[in-house]
């Protein structure tokens, strides 16, 4: 099927890939040529520093940067020194430039180097000018414009649990970033999108990166896979932006077309039917936070009864800040000021109608456990984390199984070890006999910190897997001359959170 302005994947795609490799048009190669400041500016959507570096440089790598990252036309002879021009033109990767006199060529799409999970050289295809940030409106492009790899794509990729699985689904694939990652550890990958342009671009991304092909299907939410066997992993960077529901006014990559946060809510609530036992759903989400409702309770109510959940709010924006962010994303601030104000009012009117005071931004992870007592943790964590977090997510649910299966007596009969990288900090006045505060701090994963008292700090410091928790508590009671029964009775209150948050790990 012909998609306006997009290449087709044919034999020339492999030749193009080899030319990109030969010229070092990779993440490391582009960084080396541009330098860190210009490379960082390019990631922010600012092209001037990279342009200053590459202008006057007719070498293959500079030529490819000008063509595929900066959207510039170059002389045909210069392009020919870097690329197999005949096949690139035949398949539509290159098209005639704007100069009617000089013979020039330009790229029909953006191609951005992207490093894979194991350091592979991949390339993400997107619409011209859309490899990095900037508003679609600012570029004068259609509502079906397809973005490249941005911060949200990278965040989701780093959050995803990576283990060998049979079937994986990338729901709302866009340029195919998540499908690329899934192809490394899933036997079968299905990718869906409502936008046929996105499906073509995802196909190009996979082909150019020499990745396993995905089963590409058009449709919304779970409609395209309604009759499929359940999936072991579903990932989604959905169009989660909460925008006015004016028909035909949204941008396909970000506006889901449903009122409020209904798209994310529906995706979470219906996921259990599409997950295999033990399967994961992982997605990025925005959600409305109402004036008269606890946001944690609202998010917990979305979770299907068959699933455990870990929901993390990474940021909160008031409705004014949120509207401004996405109006600027669409380039509305660069147009007529009265139109901008009308659009701003439309956003605030809808928020006011639903009594929305702010919007939460974060991630949602479900695991289909089928447990009678599901584990549902909804929390705020705005502090830095250590990416990738996929193993942290998997381990969280593993610990949830342990805690669910161990009552207080069994909890004290188990043995524990201090997690790798956990350190103890003692805070107090210099020269004081005893510290005022004792803190355990993680150096990996969520990078949490928690205050400890004398008993819990002594317990954690003694956890090497050799003694059961109860025996350790008895020894501590003897040292501090406390009643062992009393320490055992109160220990689960602080021991469970230490295990849940990953400071202590069950041993054996």
């Amino acid at each position: 099927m012909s998609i306006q302005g997009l290449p087709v994947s044919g034999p020339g795609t492999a030749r193009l890939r080899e030319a990109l490799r030969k010229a070092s048009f990779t993440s490391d190669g582009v960084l080396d040529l541009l330098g860190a400041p210009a490379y960082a500016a390019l990631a922010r959507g600012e092209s001037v520093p990279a342009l200053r570096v590459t202008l006057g440089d007719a070498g293959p790598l500079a030529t490819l940067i000008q063509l595929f990252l900066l959207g510039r036309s170059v002389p045909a002879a210069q392009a020919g020194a870097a690329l197999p021009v005949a096949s690139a033109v035949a398949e539509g990767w290159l098209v005639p430039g704007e100069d009617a006199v000089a013979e020039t060529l330009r790229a029909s799409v953006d191609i951005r180097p992207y490093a894979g999970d194991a350091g592979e050289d991949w390339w993400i295809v997107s619409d011209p000018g859309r490899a990095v940030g900037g508003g679609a409106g600012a570029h004068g492009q259609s509502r079906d414009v397809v973005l490249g790899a941005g911060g949200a794509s990278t965040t989701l990729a780093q959050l995803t649990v990576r283990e060998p699985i049979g079937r994986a689904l990338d729901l709302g694939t866009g340029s195919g970033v998540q499908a690329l990652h899934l192809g490394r550890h899933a036997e079968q990958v299905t990718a869906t999108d409502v936008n046929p342009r996105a499906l073509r671009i995802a196909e190009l991304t996979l082909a150019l990166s020499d990745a396993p092909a995905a089963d590409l299907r058009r449709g919304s939410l779970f409609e395209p896979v309604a009759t499929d066997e359940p999936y072991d992993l579903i990932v989604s960077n959905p169009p989660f932006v909460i925008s006015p529901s004016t028909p035909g006014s949204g941008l396909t990559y970000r506006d889901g077309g449903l009122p409020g946060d209904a798209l994310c809510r529906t995706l979470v609530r219906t996921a259990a039917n599409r997950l295999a036992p033990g399967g994961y759903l992982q997605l990025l989400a925005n959600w409305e936070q109402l004036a008269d409702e606890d946001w944690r309770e609202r998010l917990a109510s979305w979770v299907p009864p068959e699933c455990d959940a870990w929901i993390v709010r990474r940021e909160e924006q008031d409705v004014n800040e949120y509207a401004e962010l996405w109006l600027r994303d669409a380039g509305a601030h660069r147009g007529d000021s009265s139109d901008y104000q009308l659009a701003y009012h439309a956003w605030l009117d809808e928020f006011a109608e639903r009594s929305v005071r702010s919007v939460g931004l974060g991630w949602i992870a479900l695991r289909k456990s089928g447990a009678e007592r599901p584990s549902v943790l909804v929390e705020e964590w705005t502090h830095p984390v250590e990416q990738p977090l996929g193993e942290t997510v998997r381990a969280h649910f593993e610990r949830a199984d342990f805690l669910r299966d161990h009552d207080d007596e069994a909890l004290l009969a188990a043995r524990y070890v201090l997690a790798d990288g956990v350190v103890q900090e003692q805070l107090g006045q210099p020269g004081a006999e005893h510290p005022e505060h004792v803190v355990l701090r993680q150096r990996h994963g969520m990078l949490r910190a928690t205050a400890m008292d004398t008993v819990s700090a002594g317990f954690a410091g003694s956890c090497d897997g050799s003694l059961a928790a109860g025996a350790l508590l008895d020894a501590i009671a003897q040292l501090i001359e406390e009643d062992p029964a009393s320490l055992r009775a109160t220990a689960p209150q602080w021991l469970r959170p230490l295990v849940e948050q990953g400071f202590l790990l069950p041993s054996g």
Side-chain angles (χ1 to χ4, degrees):
M1 180 175 65
S2 174
I3 304 290
Q4 182 178 7
L6 292 181
V8 295
S9 178
T13 301
R15 291 194 286 272
L16 173 60
R17 178 173 60 250
E18 290 311 307
L20 300 181
R21 284 201 176 111
K22 183 178 179 181
S24 296
F25 187 65
T26 62
S27 296
D28 290 341
V30 172
L31 173 59
D32 287 343
L33 179 64
L34 295 183
Y39 188 83
L42 194 61
R44 297 192 301 269
E46 298 292 345
S47 61
V48 172
L51 181 60
R52 289 170 63 89
V53 173
T54 57
L55 274 181
D57 184 344
L61 180 54
T63 298
L64 296 177
I65 291 172
Q66 290 185 43
L67 281 169
F68 295 120
L69 292 181
L70 304 181
R72 295 180 62 83
S73 296
V74 303
Q78 182 178 334
L83 294 168
V85 165
S87 60
V89 170
E91 294 185 1
W93 296 98
L94 298 178
V95 295
E98 294 84 357
D99 193 327
V101 178
E103 186 180 357
T104 62
L105 293 170
R106 62 178 176 84
S108 64
V109 290
D110 277 323
I111 299 176
R112 180 172 182 171
Y114 183 84
D117 297 315
E120 306 96 329
D121 291 323
W122 289 339
W123 293 273
I124 308 298
V125 180
S126 67
D127 273 316
R130 304 306 300 152
V132 290
H139 292 275
Q141 295 181 344
S142 75
R143 66 184 304 269
D144 289 333
V145 62
V146 179
L147 302 185
S153 302
T154 302
T155 295
L156 179 59
Q158 293 180 323
L159 282 171
T160 301
V161 175
R162 302 293 177 197
E163 55 188 12
I165 54 173
R167 295 168 49 76
L169 170 63
D170 176 13
L171 193 152
T173 190
S175 59
V177 177
Q178 307 309 321
L180 261 181
H181 287 277
L182 293 173
R184 290 194 67 249
H185 63 104
E187 295 176 7
Q188 301 175 37
V189 177
T190 301
T192 68
D193 207 291
V194 298
N195 184 1
R197 189 174 187 85
L199 295 176
R200 166 61 66 81
I201 285 180
E203 178 187 4
L204 294 172
T205 291
L206 295 172
L208 188 58
S209 299
D210 199 21
D215 180 1
L216 300 170
R217 306 183 195 178
R218 183 182 179 187
S220 177
L221 294 171
F222 292 116
E223 293 172 357
V225 297
T227 60
D228 283 8
E229 293 295 318
Y231 289 88
D232 302 299
L233 173 62
I234 301 172
V235 297
S236 184
N237 180 17
F240 51 61
V241 176
I242 302 169
S243 54
S245 53
T246 305
S249 64
L251 298 168
T252 305
Y253 74 85
R254 67 169 212 187
D255 302 300
L258 298 177
D261 52 24
L263 187 140
C264 289
R265 184 171 69 250
T266 301
L267 177 55
V268 172
R269 284 181 169 172
T270 58
N273 295 332
R274 306 305 334 142
L275 286 173
Y280 293 92
L281 165 71
Q282 295 185 255
L283 72 149
L284 304 183
N286 287 187
W287 54 82
E288 294 182 331
Q289 299 182 160
L290 310 183
D292 59 351
E293 187 176 15
D294 187 302
W295 70 271
R296 293 175 179 82
E297 293 180 359
R298 184 166 188 268
L299 269 291
S301 73
W302 293 7
V303 178
E306 308 96 320
C307 293
D308 297 331
W310 185 19
I311 302 173
V312 180
R313 186 175 79 179
R314 295 288 287 156
E315 186 179 354
E316 179 184 19
Q317 294 183 340
D318 67 55
V319 291
N320 301 322
E321 184 182 13
Y322 189 81
E324 292 162 11
L325 169 67
W326 293 109
L327 285 169
R328 288 178 176 274
D329 174 79
H333 62 301
R334 300 183 182 180
D336 184 88
S337 61
S338 61
D339 290 340
Y340 175 79
Q341 291 179 13
L342 286 173
Y344 202 147
H345 278 295
W347 284 66
L348 297 187
D349 286 345
E350 288 215 10
F351 283 136
E353 183 178 344
R354 295 192 295 270
S355 299
V356 179
R357 61 173 177 81
S358 62
V359 176
L361 303 83
W363 72 68
I364 298 175
L366 304 184
R367 185 191 56 165
K368 189 172 182 179
S369 65
E372 292 184 7
R373 295 179 294 111
S375 168
V376 178
L377 174 62
V378 184
E379 63 173 334
E380 178 177 42
W381 188 254
T382 59
H383 306 290
V385 298
E386 182 190 49
Q387 294 279 24
L389 274 176
E391 176 56 24
T392 300
V393 173
R394 188 204 62 76
H396 168 87
F397 288 108
E398 186 176 74
R399 295 193 304 274
D401 285 339
F402 172 84
L403 291 171
R404 179 167 43 225
D405 295 340
H406 286 70
D407 60 17
D408 287 354
E409 182 179 354
L411 196 70
L412 297 182
R415 303 179 183 192
Y416 303 91
V417 295
L418 203 62
D420 181 47
V422 172
V423 296
Q424 178 177 295
E425 299 175 355
Q426 296 186 359
L427 307 176
Q429 292 295 323
E433 184 178 355
H434 300 290
E436 296 176 15
H437 304 284
V438 177
V439 174
L440 284 189
R441 188 177 301 278
Q442 297 172 343
R443 293 188 295 185
H444 302 302
M446 294 295 286
L447 306 181
R448 299 182 190 271
T450 186
M452 310 287 283
D453 61 16
T454 302
V455 172
S456 58
F459 178 89
S462 303
C463 284
D464 60 5
S466 61
L467 292 176
L472 280 178
L473 289 168
D474 292 343
I476 292 171
Q478 185 176 1
L479 283 173
I480 64 175
E481 298 181 348
E482 290 283 346
D483 177 23
S486 177
L487 291 191
R488 282 174 172 261
T490 58
Q493 298 172 18
W494 50 261
L495 179 53
R496 285 187 181 276
L498 288 178
V499 175
E500 179 184 66
Q501 296 176 11
F503 291 95
L504 295 177
L505 306 178
S507 174

